[in-house]
DNA sequence: AAAGGGGTCAACCGCCATAGG
DNA sequence: ACCTATGGCGGTTGACCCCTT
């Protein structure tokens, strides 16, 4: 069966949007919202397909879009997140308020990728500006981590053409000192310092890492002692998921997906239990 | 000043996941 | 359980801009 095209092409306009079209779309969404993108253009009187309207709104017309060049800080953030997440642009965008996945994708392909290639600079890890894992301020207790052993993944990630090199890497968590925890890939080796720091902002409601309905007390939920200053998320994923009282975990976006993927690759449950 | 080549970025395309019937 | 509609995502394209020659 041939899938129907996303929109009826006949009579629909393509190409750059005019200011008039923009105004029509903005006005309509301000008045009515955008509950149904497919129906929207007809209702609004636009000769565009719903997909085109959605893209125009999401990537350009939304009032919270931040225009202009990316700051150095934003670029560093993209590099770090790309290191973690691979080409998951929407996940990266969720960590950069006001920036869209399309914009980030463009910036990556036009600037950042080349810069990294030219300079052969190792992506600056989040840890560069943060405390070391075994700093005094970190009082993480990681139940079960030390005796855990995360197996190598048995199959490549099917849903992403370019998964994070970290998640593609065969993974092993060695026993002993947490500083020895490492993830090995074919041609790289990640020390624990490659993992992102989980701090207060990481878990904040604004961060995009909000656990649906369960953001209040990570310590209580995960069973690890979450020091607000510096904690890492390996432990809850690798060991405590059975006790993880959060049915929304699989919907958690961005970095949490990374940890969740890691957990699944470690042989964890395919689906989280309902609580 | 004109041509051409490369860079940029908005927009499109096609696929996938999921909700709902 | 299956099918369809829809939204969302990442990859790609092509028009436009700018710089160099």
């Amino acid at each position: 069966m041939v899938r129907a095209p996303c929109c009826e092409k006949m009579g629909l306009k393509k190409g750059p949007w005019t200011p008039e079209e923009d105004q029509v779309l903005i006005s309509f969404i301000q008045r009515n919202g955008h509950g149904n993108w497919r129906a929207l253009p007809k209702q609004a009187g636009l000769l565009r397909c719903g997909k085109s309207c959605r893209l125009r709104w999401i990537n350009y017309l939304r009032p919270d879009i931040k225009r202009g060049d990316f700051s150095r800080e934003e670029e560093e953030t993209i590099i770090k997140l790309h290191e973690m997440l691979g080409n998951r642009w929407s996940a990266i965008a969720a960590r950069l308020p006001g920036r869209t996945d399309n914009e980030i994708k463009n910036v990556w392909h036009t600037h950042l990728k080349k810069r990294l290639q030219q300079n052969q600079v190792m992506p600056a890890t989040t840890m560069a500006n943060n405390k070391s894992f075994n700093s005094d301020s970190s009082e993480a207790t990681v139940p079960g981590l030390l005796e855990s052993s995360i197996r190598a993944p048995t199959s490549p990630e099917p849903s992403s053409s370019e998964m994070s090199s970290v998640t593609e890497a065969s993974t092993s968590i060695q026993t002993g000192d947490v500083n020895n925890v490492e993830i090995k890939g074919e041609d790289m080796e990640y020390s624990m310092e490659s993992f992102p720091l989980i701090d207060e902002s990481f878990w904040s409601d604004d961060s995009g890492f909000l656990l649906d309905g369960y953001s209040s007390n990570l310590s209580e939920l995960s069973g690890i002692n979450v020091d607000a200053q510096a904690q890492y998320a390996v432990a809850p994923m690798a060991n405590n998921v059975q006790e993880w009282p959060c049915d929304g975990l699989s919907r958690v976006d961005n970095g949490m997906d990374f940890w969740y993927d890691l957990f699944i690759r470690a042989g964890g449950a395919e689906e989280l239990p309902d609580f």
Side-chain angles (χ1 to χ4, degrees), chain A residues 161-172:
Chain A
S161 58
E162 188 184 338
M163 277 297 294
S164 158
S165 56
V166 175
T167 54
E168 275 183 345
S170 65
T171 306
S172 68

Side-chain angles (χ1 to χ4, degrees), chain A residues 24-25 33 73 96 106 149 167 172 228:
Chain A
V24 169
L25 182 57
E73 205 170 37
L96 287 165
N106 283 335
S149 175
T167 54
S172 68

Side-chain angles (χ1 to χ4, degrees), chain A residues 30 32 57 61 121 126 141 158 174 203 235 242 244 249 260 262:
Chain A
Q30 282 175 344
N32 307 292
W57 175 256
L61 299 177
V121 173
T126 307
T141 59
Q174 300 181 344
W203 296 108
Q242 293 304 326
W244 193 268
L249 187 58
Y260 181 56
L262 192 62

Side-chain angles (χ1 to χ4, degrees), chain A residues 72-90:
Chain A
R72 191 78 186 181
E73 205 170 37
E74 286 175 314
E75 291 181 348
E76 289 301 319
T77 302
I78 293 169
I79 291 169
K80 290 168 191 169
L81 290 172
H82 188 270
E83 184 185 8
M84 281 173 57
L85 302 168
N87 294 0
R88 298 172 64 189
W89 306 115
S90 62

